[in-house]
Amino acid sequence: MNGPVSASTAKSASRAKLALELKPKKVLLVGDRRRARVEALAEQLRAALASRLEVTAVDLDDELDLTRASADLVLVLGGDGSILRTAHRLGENAIPLLGVNLGKLGFLATVSADEPVEKIAQRAAGPLAIESRSQLSVSLVRKGGERIAAGDALNDAVLDRGQGARLLTLGIRLDGRLAFETRGDGILVSTPTGSTAYSLAAGGPVLHPGLDVFLVTPICPHSLTNRPVVVQGSSTIEIEIQDCDDAPRLSIDGETPKAPPLRVGDRIEARRSQRSILLAVLPKDDFYTRLRNKLHFGRPAKG
C-alpha cells in the first residue's frame, strides 16, 4: 500500500483488525529539540532519508499544525511519551507513526536510536506493518450534566486523589448499571495499548492491542475484593466521585485537561473514540516479541 492511509481505511482496519503494509514516499520528522540527541539525529536522518524518501518537513518545536500535515509517515524521534503527544497533535489526520526510541522503554517506539542512521533510514522506507489502535473518548461531567472537559486517550485516563491526604471513594457504572464501588488512591481506564503502561504497574493484566475491550483498574484499593475488570469495547464507563477531601485529579495520557477543580458528584465518562491511531512497526516486530524484549515478559528467573 503506497501513499497516506485515509480515515475510512483507518476505521476499516480498526474494525477488522487487519495488518496493512506501507511503503512510504513522503515522511515528516517530529521531535523535541530540548531532548538530548534529537536535533543531531534529525539532521543526520534528513540527509540519510534524502535518497529514499521525500522529507516534507522537520518539526522540532511543535510549530506545525499536524492536523493539516501531508505525508505517508510521521517519524517520531523520542520515547513513548513523544508518540502519545504526536498522536494527539494529529487529531483526525490518519498518518501512521513510526517511533525512533530515545527514551528508556520505548514500547510504542519500535526502532532503536542506537542503530546506524542509514539503517534507521532503511527501516523508515519500508515495508512497514500498520497496526490500528483504538482510543478512549473521555469526558468530565459536572453533577448537573455540564461537560467541562474532554479528550481522547491512546493509553489511559487516570482519576486519582491528587494532593489529597484521604482516599477517594468512587462508584463505577458500566452501561448505566452500578458495577462496583472502590475506595483507594483512584482508578484508571485504559485501552489495550495502555495495558502495558500504568495499568500494568497497578496490577492489571496485559491485553493484546488488537482486542476490542477496555480495562478498568483500581489504584491501590483499600479492599481485597477490588480487582481489574475487562469490559467490552462497546461499553460506556462512568466513574462518579462519591467522597474526597481535596480536588481529585484527572489526567488523559498524562496530560491534565483545563477544567475547574473536581468535586463530589462529578463523574468521568469513557467510551470508544471514533478515532483510531495508526502505528507503524517493523514487519517482524510483533507484540509478543516486544513483551519479551522490552518488559522481559515470561522469562524464567535465574538461579
Side-chain angles (χ1 to χ4, degrees), residues 234-264:
S234 60
S235 297
T236 296
I237 304 160
E238 297 176 86
I239 303 168
E240 182 180 347
I241 302 171
Q242 297 180 343
D243 185 38
C244 61
D245 68 339
D246 203 345
R249 176 180 54 192
L250 170 67
S251 62
I252 300 174
D253 276 350
E255 299 292 330
T256 302
K258 294 182 179 179
L262 277 67
R263 59 198 186 201
V264 171

Side-chain angles (χ1 to χ4, degrees), residues 206-255:
V206 173
L207 302 178
H208 188 280
L211 292 174
D212 184 20
V213 297
F214 293 113
L215 179 59
V216 182
T217 306
I219 304 171
C220 298
H222 198 247
S223 171
L224 293 176
T225 61
N226 283 151
R227 290 292 181 265
V229 178
V230 179
V231 304
Q232 297 181 38
S234 60
S235 297
T236 296
I237 304 160
E238 297 176 86
I239 303 168
E240 182 180 347
I241 302 171
Q242 297 180 343
D243 185 38
C244 61
D245 68 339
D246 203 345
R249 176 180 54 192
L250 170 67
S251 62
I252 300 174
D253 276 350
E255 299 292 330

Side-chain angles (χ1 to χ4, degrees), residues 19-281:
L20 305 176
E21 186 180 274
L22 174 68
K23 292 183 178 181
K25 295 181 179 179
K26 297 181 179 181
V27 63
L28 169 65
L29 285 176
V30 172
D32 183 348
R33 73 168 72 249
R34 295 172 299 179
R35 296 192 59 171
R37 299 178 59 192
V38 167
E39 187 170 6
L41 182 58
E43 292 179 0
Q44 295 167 3
L45 276 174
R46 187 169 195 167
L49 288 166
S51 62
R52 297 178 172 88
L53 301 167
E54 177 187 347
V55 180
T56 60
V58 178
D59 181 16
L60 305 183
D61 300 294
D62 288 359
E63 293 180 341
L64 291 181
D65 180 2
L66 296 190
T67 64
R68 299 177 179 273
S70 178
D72 304 326
L73 179 71
V74 178
L75 194 60
V76 183
L77 309 182
D80 289 350
S82 298
I83 290 180
L84 291 175
R85 286 190 295 274
T86 305
H88 284 277
R89 290 179 61 199
L90 281 171
E92 296 183 4
N93 195 357
I95 305 176
L97 302 169
L98 177 64
V100 179
N101 183 34
L102 286 160
K104 294 181 179 179
L105 179 61
F107 199 78
L108 299 177
T110 60
V111 177
S112 172
D114 294 328
E115 291 187 311
V117 173
E118 287 293 334
K119 185 66 174 180
I120 298 174
Q122 178 184 341
R123 293 189 186 282
L128 296 164
I130 303 299
E131 298 178 354
S132 181
R133 301 293 184 91
S134 59
Q135 293 197 101
L136 279 166
S137 176
V138 184
S139 299
L140 174 56
V141 184
R142 283 263 108 117
K143 187 174 183 179
E146 177 189 4
R147 295 181 184 272
I148 57 176
D152 281 359
L154 175 58
N155 259 1
D156 52 40
V158 179
L159 177 64
D160 63 31
R161 58 180 176 167
Q163 300 300 317
R166 290 172 52 199
L167 303 180
L168 281 178
T169 302
L170 306 170
I172 291 81
R173 292 182 176 273
L174 300 176
D175 296 322
R177 295 185 177 182
L178 181 64
F180 63 95
E181 296 176 324
T182 183
R183 183 170 174 78
D185 284 354
I187 200 163
L188 63 88
V189 183
S190 81
T191 65
T193 298
S195 72
T196 53
Y198 190 4
S199 178
L200 183 64
V206 173
L207 302 178
H208 188 280
L211 292 174
D212 184 20
V213 297
F214 293 113
L215 179 59
V216 182
T217 306
I219 304 171
C220 298
H222 198 247
S223 171
L224 293 176
T225 61
N226 283 151
R227 290 292 181 265
V229 178
V230 179
V231 304
Q232 297 181 38
S234 60
S235 297
T236 296
I237 304 160
E238 297 176 86
I239 303 168
E240 182 180 347
I241 302 171
Q242 297 180 343
D243 185 38
C244 61
D245 68 339
D246 203 345
R249 176 180 54 192
L250 170 67
S251 62
I252 300 174
D253 276 350
E255 299 292 330
T256 302
K258 294 182 179 179
L262 277 67
R263 59 198 186 201
V264 171
D266 290 347
R267 69 180 186 275
I268 310 302
E269 293 184 0
R271 56 177 58 85
R272 184 199 295 123
S273 173
Q274 295 182 349
R275 298 186 299 174
S276 299
I277 295 296
L278 300 179
L279 292 183
V281 298

